[in-house]
Amino acid sequence: MCGIIGYIGKKQAQPILLNGLKRLQYRGYDSTGLAVLDDKGLRRAPSLRIKKRAGKLNMLETAVAKRPLKGKLGISQVRWATHGVPNQVNAHPHWDCTGKIALVHNGIIENYEELKEDLLKQGHKFRSETDTEVLVHLIEKFYRGKLEKAVQQALKEVRGAYAIAVISKDEPEKLVGARFGSPLIASVGKEEGFLASDIPALLDYTKEVVLLEDEEIVVVTPGSLVVRNLQGKTLTKEKVKIRWDVAQAEKEGFPHFMLKEIHEQPQAIRSTLMGRIAESKDEIVLPELKSLEGFLASMQKIIIISCGTAWHAALVGKYMLESNVRIPVEVDISSEFRYRDPILDKKTLVVAITQSGETADTLAGLREAKTRGAKILSICNVLGSSIPRASDAVIYTHAGPEIAVASTKAYTSQLAVLYLFTLYLGGLRKALSAPKIKELILELERIPQCLEKLLESKKIILECARRYYHSFGFLYLGRTLNFPTALEGALKIKEISYIHAEGYGAGEMKHGPIALINPRLPVVCIAPESRVYDKMLSNIQEIRARKGIVISVATVDDKRIPHHSNHVIYIPKVKELFSPLLTVVPLQLLAYYIAAKRGCDIDQPKNLAKSVTVE
Ligand code: M6R
């Protein structure tokens, strides 16, 4: 997720662009840049001036403070890197070979490698490692003095997601934008016009915007805008009134980033899967693993290390890898791994899972594994962070920045990568047949839609939050793939509502935790359709027999669970293997609504930091 903004009008563009970027920082913060068309007066031709910096916005602000970029047309971006590390060269804007056209982009161009190969053959010179740069060279290729036309032709060649803002020094009176899969809004005021990824960027200037739809191109001139589709047909667009203030708008109307991020999960998973499934649907495409392919085909053991929520993702990973790839998998908390003298060698793959890529214990564990000869693969959300840089290979989750301390969309995106990795390895090591891989891929692709459905209704969750927010404790029970879900549900409620909670494998109940059951203890039982469904049902009956309060998470249309539960939260029907991607969501929401009822500081819970960079 990145944020873009463009301006055209009578005022100086730079201050407006910088102000807009400030409002969009929640969408990305690893590098920033702007391009302004410097109109030097009537006597000299205008030129494009570009300034970019790695790091947060203040780096760019300092850079332009001394020598501002003067001009009344400009574009800018805050980046959340997906392709190409977050450095100055990879920061946006990117420009074409002639220096005439500049572009900023939010999204991922899936087919950028093939496009780049063709463009290189045609003589285009690339400066960055980004997927974005192909766009500006493609536009250059088609440019015959009409920017809109060139953008239209270029976008027809592109697969993936984009929201773009483009300017050309040959057409200083226009700002061109387009979108597919990534948000873009446009607005015009008196003798000025704007493009932006999101409403907060424009709130200081306008309260009316036009929301662009997929495959629409907009041409903004001072005081007017025209929207056409990719076929060139002019469209009538309605203006939408904005009623949010800035803080609300950054959270897109959600009261907290955590709730927003819970709702972003369908899109985060879509982005994580994007470009990694072959069109034939029977193969996973992970070019990032190419250099390790031989090793992955013959390795003998996997050890996954991680902390907190990422450790729970690792535990789900163990189930999916062992049962589908038939390779032994150990899972360790990073801080235990590094001090336990682990047994590993050159035939071991160590997988480090981390949202931030900076967790000190995971980094130390990875270094320990390296000295013992293991190969390192990381699964990470922050491009170019320390853990991926210390790894032999990395598969990035494309969840976008996660702001809330309690991890939600990073977790489900980590699971999505683990599914991709499992199916990839299953194929590589011939543990799964092609038809089986296809069957599982088709199911995996259904998950974002199922999540959308699941997020539509929160009635029962709200009811449970209302009834039990005063509870002294919570117990979470699950089995096999959903045992880690129980641990994650308990962690979520602990960290944001400060209620003591325990997660257990339901089979362990009778070995201790059953002593806790009483009529005031809510027990969340994760019981979707599965091989262990009947076992879960028996555990639920054991709790009811001791008068515990049962909140079940079950598959839609389950007829038996309601007879034994006080409350049932239903999830859509999916294959057992993928159920952890769904069952965790009601638990995130339950923790969220309980914390809200208790008046807790949800996005920044006490004593916690988003990224734990000390031991
Ligand atoms: O950045 P990482 O994924 O390495 O962070 C690991 C844990 O610190 C993190 O998951 C933590 O447990 C979260 N607060 C959980 O919500």
Side-chain angles (χ1 to χ4, degrees):
M1 193 157 87
C2 307
I4 63 173
I5 169 164
Y7 173 79
I8 186 164
K10 294 261 181 265
K11 298 179 195 141
Q12 284 299 311
Q14 180 182 297
I16 294 171
L17 297 178
L18 290 177
N19 184 40
L21 291 183
K22 197 175 286 165
R23 304 266 192 244
L24 291 179
Q25 281 180 103
Y26 72 94
R27 301 180 66 87
Y29 40 71
D30 62 37
S31 51
T32 49
L34 49 84
V36 172
L37 189 69
D38 189 351
D39 47 4
K40 295 164 185 153
L42 289 175
R43 274 190 230 134
R44 283 159 60 201
S47 65
L48 274 178
R49 286 191 59 207
I50 295 175
K51 196 66 98 190
K52 317 200 269 187
R53 284 294 178 270
K56 296 205 171 149
L57 181 58
N58 60 337
M59 304 299 284
L60 182 68
E61 284 172 327
T62 314
V64 294
K66 282 193 197 122
R67 289 191 60 210
L69 308 190
K70 292 201 181 120
K72 294 163 188 161
L73 169 64
I75 53 174
S76 58
Q77 197 230 29
V78 278
R79 183 167 185 243
W80 177 257
T82 59
H83 293 66
V85 294
N87 59 19
Q88 190 166 317
V89 177
N90 291 333
H92 298 209
H94 293 286
W95 63 97
D96 70 328
C97 301
T98 64
K100 267 187 193 174
I101 304 166
L103 170 144
V104 287
H105 168 223
N106 166 32
I108 298 172
I109 304 303
E110 274 180 50
N111 58 337
Y112 83 99
E113 278 172 325
E114 31 189 293
L115 291 172
K116 188 169 176 175
E117 219 176 284
D118 284 351
L119 287 161
L120 282 169
K121 278 188 204 142
Q122 291 158 27
H124 290 263
K125 300 267 179 295
F126 281 75
R127 302 168 193 92
S128 75
E129 299 158 340
T130 62
D131 53 333
T132 299
E133 201 183 338
V134 298
L135 280 175
V136 75
H137 289 283
L138 263 185
I139 294 170
E140 175 190 4
K141 173 177 156 183
F142 292 114
Y143 191 69
R144 306 279 180 276
K146 285 219 162 71
L147 188 58
E148 183 191 358
K149 186 94 192 131
V151 169
Q152 189 189 65
Q153 281 173 287
L155 293 180
K156 285 186 182 157
E157 312 245 322
V158 159
R159 256 196 348 261
Y162 56 78
I164 54 170
V166 201
I167 55 176
S168 161
K169 77 174 179 135
D170 286 353
E171 294 172 75
E173 73 294 349
K174 3 184 126 133
L175 171 62
V176 177
R179 74 155 270 181
F180 185 85
S182 300
L184 188 67
I185 58 173
S187 175
V188 283
K190 203 164 169 270
E191 300 188 312
E192 61 184 357
F194 305 86
L195 283 178
S197 294
D198 205 353
I199 292 165
L202 304 188
L203 276 181
D204 291 325
Y205 313 104
T206 180
K207 288 279 182 197
E208 275 189 345
V209 297
V210 168
L211 308 175
L212 294 172
E213 299 298 331
D214 283 351
E215 300 199 326
E216 288 182 353
I217 299 183
V218 59
V219 179
V220 185
T221 52
S224 77
L225 64 81
V226 178
V227 180
R228 295 192 179 86
N229 64 15
L230 277 193
Q231 286 64 47
K233 184 170 175 252
T234 307
L235 307 168
T236 315
K237 302 288 290 185
E238 301 230 328
K239 286 183 183 160
V240 177
K241 277 222 170 332
I242 307 164
R243 293 197 171 81
W244 295 343
D245 61 25
V246 172
Q248 274 177 315
E250 281 174 357
K251 294 171 189 155
E252 285 169 11
F254 289 103
H256 297 95
F257 278 110
M258 182 181 176
L259 192 59
K260 174 173 175 264
E261 287 159 6
I262 290 173
H263 282 81
E264 280 173 351
Q265 290 179 107
Q267 191 49 41
I269 293 175
R270 268 191 200 108
S271 301
T272 300
L273 301 184
M274 189 184 279
R276 288 165 165 170
I277 292 173
E279 268 178 66
S280 55
K281 308 283 185 205
D282 55 8
E283 201 191 341
I284 299 296
V285 188
L286 289 171
E288 45 274 75
L289 299 185
K290 194 85 204 135
S291 63
L292 285 186
E293 209 174 83
F295 169 81
L296 294 173
S298 62
M299 67 185 174
Q300 288 179 353
K301 179 164 94 172
I302 298 177
I303 303 179
I304 315 183
I305 59 170
S306 42
C307 303
T309 287
W311 176 60
H312 301 151
L315 290 170
V316 182
K318 174 181 167 74
Y319 284 97
M320 61 172 96
L321 280 159
E322 288 194 334
S323 61
N324 289 286
V325 187
R326 306 306 300 158
I327 184 164
V329 181
E330 286 174 28
V331 174
D332 237 328
I333 295 168
S334 308
S335 51
E336 289 299 313
F337 173 82
R338 61 185 290 200
Y339 294 119
R340 82 166 161 93
D341 197 7
I343 299 171
L344 47 96
D345 57 23
K346 289 195 172 85
K347 295 196 169 130
T348 309
L349 175 73
V350 169
V351 181
I353 306 181
T354 171
Q355 187 285 133
S356 62
E358 300 294 347
T359 301
D361 284 321
T362 305
L363 186 57
L366 172 164
R367 289 188 173 135
E368 177 64 32
K370 239 182 176 178
T371 59
R372 293 170 188 242
K375 286 267 185 273
I376 316 290
L377 167 68
S378 53
I379 295 175
C380 184
N381 196 38
V382 181
L383 205 119
S385 51
S386 304
I387 290 172
R389 279 193 277 124
S391 307
D392 295 295
V394 49
I395 311 175
Y396 283 107
T397 50
H398 295 311
E402 195 178 60
I403 310 284
V405 166
S407 193
T408 54
K409 63 174 180 171
Y411 175 70
T412 42
S413 304
Q414 285 160 356
L415 291 185
V417 165
L418 285 164
Y419 285 112
L420 289 172
F421 184 54
T422 299
L423 297 178
Y424 167 87
L425 270 190
L428 184 72
R429 295 169 69 98
K430 313 237 176 315
L432 291 172
S433 66
K436 184 73 192 168
I437 292 176
K438 186 165 187 168
E439 180 192 319
L440 295 174
I441 284 178
L442 291 174
E443 187 73 344
L444 179 58
E445 284 194 315
R446 248 174 28 85
I447 297 295
Q449 228 177 305
C450 294
L451 277 173
E452 275 157 2
K453 181 112 199 81
L454 178 57
L455 286 163
E456 271 167 21
S457 148
K458 305 184 179 80
K459 198 166 152 233
I460 310 290
I461 301 170
L462 285 164
E463 164 74 7
C464 292
R466 193 181 59 72
R467 283 192 185 218
Y468 306 120
Y469 76 97
H470 277 314
S471 296
F472 189 67
F474 268 76
L475 191 60
Y476 288 76
L477 301 176
R479 281 173 177 262
T480 65
L481 285 152
N482 281 300
F483 162 42
T485 313
L487 297 177
E488 177 61 6
L491 177 63
K492 286 289 92 91
I493 206 159
K494 272 188 273 209
E495 63 181 341
I496 61 166
S497 32
Y498 320 132
I499 297 177
H500 180 71
E502 295 276 2
Y504 265 97
E508 271 291 288
M509 267 264 289
K510 51 182 105 37
H511 301 285
I514 201 161
L516 293 171
I517 307 295
N518 69 59
R520 286 174 312 283
L521 182 75
V523 185
V524 181
C525 300
I526 304 145
E529 270 177 9
S530 73
R531 280 170 306 145
V532 289
Y533 172 82
D534 285 329
K535 303 278 169 207
M536 273 307 298
L537 206 57
S538 305
N539 294 130
I540 289 173
Q541 279 157 343
E542 286 159 15
I543 300 160
R544 288 289 276 169
R546 287 155 186 84
K547 305 208 167 9
I549 304 158
V550 174
I551 303 171
S552 294
V553 177
T555 305
V556 67
D557 293 336
D558 186 320
K559 298 281 181 294
R560 294 162 73 193
I561 286 262
H563 300 297
H564 309 286
S565 311
N566 300 73
H567 312 273
V568 186
I569 304 164
Y570 290 105
I571 61 158
K573 219 180 177 63
V574 285
K575 283 189 190 299
E576 179 181 357
L577 179 65
F578 299 105
S579 63
L581 280 168
L582 300 186
T583 49
V584 74
V585 176
L587 310 192
Q588 296 167 344
L589 286 167
L590 183 64
Y592 172 82
Y593 286 118
I594 286 178
K597 281 236 149 248
R598 290 165 72 93
C600 300
D601 185 350
I602 294 180
D603 284 338
Q604 286 168 340
K606 67 173 189 226
N607 305 338
L608 290 175
K610 181 71 187 157
S611 179
V612 186
T613 53
V614 289
E615 198 185 343

